[in-house]
Amino acid sequence: MTNKVWFQTGIAIIITLLIIMLVIRVQVVFEPALTVVTTIFVPLLLGGLLYYITEPIQRLLERRGVGRLTSILAVFVIIVLVLTALSMVIVPMVTQQVQNLISRAPAIQNDIQDFFNVILSYRDRLPINPQQYVQDALDQGSQMLSNLASNAFTILTSTVSILITLILIPFFFFFMLKDHEKFIPSMVSPFSGTTKQFMTEMMYDVDRTLRAFIQGQMLVSFILCIILYIGYAIIGLDYALLLAVFALFMNLIPFIGPWVAFLPAALLAVIQDPFLLLWVSGITLVAQQIESNLITPNVMGQTLKLHPLTVITVVLAAGNIAGFIGMLIAIPTYAVVKTIIQNIWRYRTNLRKTMLADADEAGAE
C-alpha cells in the first residue's frame, strides 16, 4: 500500500499541513524572515512585471548586436521617454478631467440624490429597503473619513514605505534584465539527474506561463482602453479618457474587471443623458466581444487554458482574502500553481523512483 500514489499523496498533504500548523504556532521565530519577505515582495513583484513587459525590447535589441548593458540602458531610456510622454500628454488631460469631475461633484451628488429620492418614493413597492442601504453607505463613508484622520501617522509611515519600494524597484528590475538567463541554472545547480531535469523544465514552464499572461494581459488591456476611448469620444461622453484609463487598469482583472469599469461609465452616462446609457452599454459589449473573440485568442492564445468559471471563482476568492492586490495576482498565481502541479504529475513516476533510490542509498550508508 505504501507504494500507491494515492497513499503517498495523502501522506505528503498531511505532512504539509502539519508543517504549516507548526509554523503558525511558532510564527514569532519566523517574524524576521517574514519582515524581509514582505519588504521585498512588492518591489520584486513590480520589478518582475516591468521585466516581462520590457524583455521583448531587450531581446530584439540584442538580436541586432546590441550589448547587454547597452540594451538595459536603452530599456531604461525608453521607459523614461514613455513616462515623460505620458506626463506631458495623457496626465494633464486626465488631471483636467479629474478636476472637472471634482468641481461637478456637488451637482453629480444632487443628481444621485434625486435618483435615490425617486427610488425611495417607490420604496413601498420594492422588496428591499433602499433607504437603509443608502444610510449604511453614508455611515461607512463617514467611518472611512474618521479613520483617515485618526491614522495620520500610519499614512505617513506607509508613504515612507512606498518611497523605499520605489527606490528598490529599479534595482530588482536592472538585475532581472542583466542576469535573467542565469536564474534558472543557478536554482537547479544543487540538483542532479531526474530531479534537475524536472526542476529545469518546471521553471521554464512557469517562466513561459508568466510571460504569456503578463505580456498578453497588458497588451489586451491597452488595446481595450483605446477602443473604449474612441467609442466614448465619438458619442461625446464626458470624462472619456479618464474612464478609458480606469478601464485599462480594471481589465487587468480578468472577466470581472471590465464590468467593474463599466459601472462608473454607466453612472456618468445616466447623469449626462440617460439615452447615452444605451450607447455606453453597446460600446462596452462590442469592446468585450472584440477583446474576448479576436484580441485575446490571438495575443494570449491557449497558453493558460483556464476555464472562465475557474477564473471567476479564483478572482472572487482572492479578492475576499487579499483585496484588490489579491485579485490582480490571483490568475497568474493560479496559473503558476497549475503549471507546477502538471509538471509534478508528468514526472511523478521518475521522481518517485529517484526518491526511493536516494532513500536506499542513504540507508546503505
Side-chain angles (χ1 to χ4, degrees):
M1 184 178 67
T2 57
N3 293 328
K4 299 293 184 180
V5 174
W6 62 267
F7 180 81
Q8 295 175 355
T9 303
I11 295 298
I13 293 174
I14 293 173
I15 293 174
T16 302
L17 294 176
L18 288 174
I19 292 173
I20 293 174
M21 184 187 69
L22 292 174
V23 169
I24 293 174
R25 292 291 180 87
V26 294
Q27 60 181 346
V28 65
V29 178
F30 299 96
E31 281 185 0
L34 183 61
T35 302
V36 173
V37 171
T38 54
T39 302
I40 68 173
F41 175 74
V42 174
L44 183 63
L45 182 66
L46 295 178
L49 179 64
L50 287 174
Y51 162 73
Y52 279 114
I53 293 174
T54 58
E55 190 269 340
I57 300 174
Q58 182 191 34
R59 188 168 64 247
L60 177 63
L61 292 173
E62 292 183 355
R63 283 178 180 174
R64 301 195 172 186
V66 179
R68 174 55 55 89
L69 292 179
T70 305
S71 66
I72 295 175
L73 178 61
V75 168
F76 273 88
V77 170
I78 291 172
I79 292 176
V80 171
L81 291 177
V82 170
L83 292 177
T84 303
L86 290 176
S87 63
M88 294 177 62
V89 180
I90 305 297
V91 173
M93 296 172 63
V94 173
T95 303
Q96 183 181 3
Q97 292 192 2
V98 171
Q99 291 174 348
N100 291 338
L101 182 61
I102 293 174
S103 64
R104 285 189 56 193
I108 294 175
Q109 183 178 1
N110 292 332
D111 292 336
I112 295 175
Q113 186 64 46
D114 293 339
F115 176 73
F116 277 112
N117 288 336
V118 172
I119 295 178
L120 291 175
S121 64
Y122 293 96
R123 63 180 179 272
D124 295 334
R125 305 178 187 179
L126 295 174
I128 60 174
N129 184 7
Q131 188 173 7
Q132 184 62 39
Y133 283 93
V134 174
Q135 187 61 43
D136 291 343
L138 293 175
D139 293 340
Q140 290 180 4
S142 301
Q143 184 66 31
M144 290 175 62
L145 291 176
S146 62
N147 291 338
L148 187 65
S150 61
N151 295 328
F153 179 76
T154 303
I155 295 172
L156 179 62
T157 305
S158 300
T159 303
V160 175
S161 177
I162 291 173
L163 292 176
I164 295 175
T165 299
L166 292 177
I167 294 173
L168 290 176
I169 290 172
F171 288 97
F172 283 100
F173 178 44
F174 173 82
F175 285 105
M176 285 180 183
L177 289 175
K178 179 177 180 292
D179 299 322
H180 56 90
E181 296 100 338
K182 301 177 182 178
F183 177 74
I184 293 178
S186 63
M187 291 293 292
V188 302
S189 58
F191 305 97
S192 61
T194 302
T195 305
K196 183 174 184 178
Q197 182 181 359
F198 160 72
M199 294 290 292
T200 302
E201 291 189 12
M202 182 184 69
M203 288 188 176
Y204 277 116
D205 285 344
V206 168
D207 177 64
R208 283 191 291 268
T209 299
L210 289 174
R211 189 185 307 272
F213 178 82
I214 294 174
Q215 295 177 356
Q217 195 67 32
M218 291 298 296
L219 183 57
V220 168
S221 299
F222 182 73
I223 295 174
L224 186 65
C225 171
I226 295 175
I227 294 174
L228 289 176
Y229 175 68
I230 293 174
Y232 292 162
I234 290 175
I235 65 174
L237 181 65
D238 293 340
Y239 316 110
L241 181 60
L242 182 62
L243 293 170
V245 172
F246 178 70
L248 185 150
F249 290 102
M250 287 297 100
N251 196 65
L252 296 176
I253 304 173
F255 288 97
I256 297 176
W259 299 110
V260 174
F262 168 73
L263 296 178
L267 179 61
L268 291 176
V270 171
I271 294 173
Q272 182 179 344
D273 182 358
F275 184 72
L276 280 179
L277 178 60
L278 297 176
W279 286 106
V280 170
S281 302
I283 291 171
T284 302
L285 181 61
V286 170
Q288 288 303 313
Q289 291 300 313
I290 293 174
E291 181 265 332
S292 60
N293 294 317
L294 294 178
I295 301 175
T296 299
N298 290 298
V299 172
M300 300 180 68
Q302 298 296 321
T303 305
L304 300 182
K305 298 179 181 178
L306 301 179
H307 193 276
L309 183 59
T310 302
V311 172
I312 294 173
T313 303
V314 170
V315 170
L316 291 177
N320 289 327
I321 295 172
F324 180 73
I325 299 298
M327 298 176 74
L328 283 179
I329 66 174
I331 299 305
T333 302
Y334 173 79
V336 168
V337 173
K338 179 182 176 182
T339 301
I340 293 173
I341 293 175
Q342 288 175 338
N343 277 271
I344 293 175
W345 182 255
R346 189 170 68 245
Y347 269 86
R348 64 190 185 280
T349 303
N350 292 333
L351 287 175
R352 184 161 62 91
K353 291 180 180 178
T354 301
M355 288 187 290
L356 290 174
D358 292 342
D360 293 338
E361 290 179 3
E365 294 176 357

